[in-house]
Amino acid sequence: MSEIEKLSGILSITFQNNELIKQAFIHRSYLNEARVKIHSNERLEFLGDSILSFLVSDFLYAAFPKLPEGELTNLRSSVVKTSTLAQIAGQLQLGNFLKLSHGEEESGGRKNPSILADTFEALLGAIFLDLGLEPVKKILKNTLFSLIAKIYKEKSYKDAKSSFQEMVQNEIKISPVYKVTSEKGPDHAKEFTVAAYVDNIKWGQGSGKNKQEAEQQAAIVAIEKWKKK
């Protein structure tokens, strides 16, 4: 059974343009090792990111008619954040289909949350170009959308930075400070790592596609650690 047939079985979708689907799994690190000229999945990721944001927004607007704009925005951010998308990519076994350089392979690229999240978005972009919007909706309905009720119920979409600041200030009257500790990748696909400090002590660290997402992830980790101190 070919990789495309395996993927088709996992997603319960029959592809028309197999080469386009294969491109969704070509990480940029693989380009220098390929024997023929190929393209990475970055353009497909760009497209898939926009499609994902639109479909999640559409779903949330209909599912939560009483939520104000600010909470809808926070909920959407929680749904499409790197860790959530990487979780879905893991469930779909997308890491098994990745084309990576030897170096990226050895450094654990198949389990890298950022790479997995990007690949999931690239796959959505490829499926949209190949088959249209409905199959993309089907995938999200069977994966991502099923997590939304849990995220909403647990209120985990609430602004973690504000929650952490409130916790800290209630005890010691100072505010957390967030510092970027690393910044990797090209301009259109950067990954930021941010650490949360209180009185020069690091309480949490998180990563994301922008500083805001990374700060939120750092705050989530910091909150859990602060509760246990």
Side-chain angles (χ1 to χ4, degrees):
M1 182 183 294
S2 70
E3 289 190 343
I4 286 292
E5 289 173 330
K6 291 178 182 177
L7 181 63
S8 178
I10 291 172
L11 300 177
S12 298
I13 290 176
T14 301
F15 306 116
Q16 294 180 0
N17 188 338
N18 290 348
E19 294 306 311
L20 185 62
I21 302 302
K22 289 178 182 178
Q23 186 184 339
F25 295 94
I26 299 175
H27 187 257
R28 63 177 178 272
S29 67
Y30 184 72
L31 298 184
N32 292 332
E33 298 184 6
R35 296 181 179 179
V36 295
K37 185 176 180 180
I38 56 175
H39 299 285
S40 76
N41 63 4
E42 290 178 344
R43 282 172 54 85
L44 290 173
E45 177 202 337
F46 165 79
L47 178 61
D49 176 71
S50 297
I51 294 169
L52 175 65
S53 181
F54 162 67
L55 290 177
V56 170
S57 298
D58 180 59
F59 179 87
L60 295 178
Y61 185 86
F64 301 97
K66 295 183 179 180
L67 273 190
E69 180 270 339
E71 287 200 47
L72 285 172
T73 298
N74 288 339
L75 183 52
R76 181 182 61 193
S77 296
S78 185
V79 172
V80 302
K81 67 185 180 183
T82 298
S83 58
T84 306
L85 299 186
Q87 177 184 341
I88 298 301
Q91 292 173 359
L92 297 175
Q93 305 172 48
L94 300 189
N96 295 340
F97 303 99
L98 276 167
K99 299 296 183 184
L100 304 167
S101 68
H102 291 301
E104 195 67 59
E105 181 88 55
E106 292 177 358
S107 65
R110 291 189 188 279
K111 295 183 179 180
N112 182 303
S114 180
I115 292 177
L116 287 174
D118 291 347
T119 302
F120 180 66
E121 290 179 334
L123 179 60
L124 296 182
I127 291 173
F128 168 73
L129 291 177
D130 186 28
L131 301 170
L133 202 58
E134 288 306 314
V136 178
K137 286 184 179 180
K138 177 184 175 182
I139 291 173
L140 295 181
K141 181 180 179 181
N142 293 335
T143 57
L144 198 61
F145 290 171
S146 63
L147 294 177
I148 290 177
K150 180 175 182 290
I151 292 172
Y152 177 73
K153 183 178 180 180
E154 294 177 349
K155 303 299 181 185
S156 57
Y157 66 93
K158 294 288 188 179
D159 183 5
K161 283 183 64 180
S162 297
S163 297
F164 185 48
Q165 178 167 313
E166 183 177 340
M167 291 173 66
V168 173
Q169 289 185 334
N170 283 342
E171 290 192 32
I172 57 177
K173 309 301 181 185
I174 62 175
S175 297
V177 174
Y178 296 85
K179 298 179 181 179
V180 176
T181 58
S182 73
E183 186 177 324
K184 299 185 294 184
D187 288 341
H188 68 282
K190 282 192 178 296
E191 179 184 6
F192 294 87
T193 300
V194 169
Y197 293 87
V198 176
D199 200 20
N200 294 319
I201 298 173
K202 187 168 80 171
W203 285 87
Q205 181 171 293
S207 299
K209 292 186 176 181
N210 52 57
K211 293 178 183 178
Q212 292 76 19
E213 181 179 325
E215 288 173 352
Q216 290 292 331
Q217 292 303 304
I220 290 171
V221 174
I223 287 171
E224 294 305 311
K225 189 174 180 181
W226 189 268
K227 288 178 180 178
K228 297 175 182 178
K229 69 181 178 65

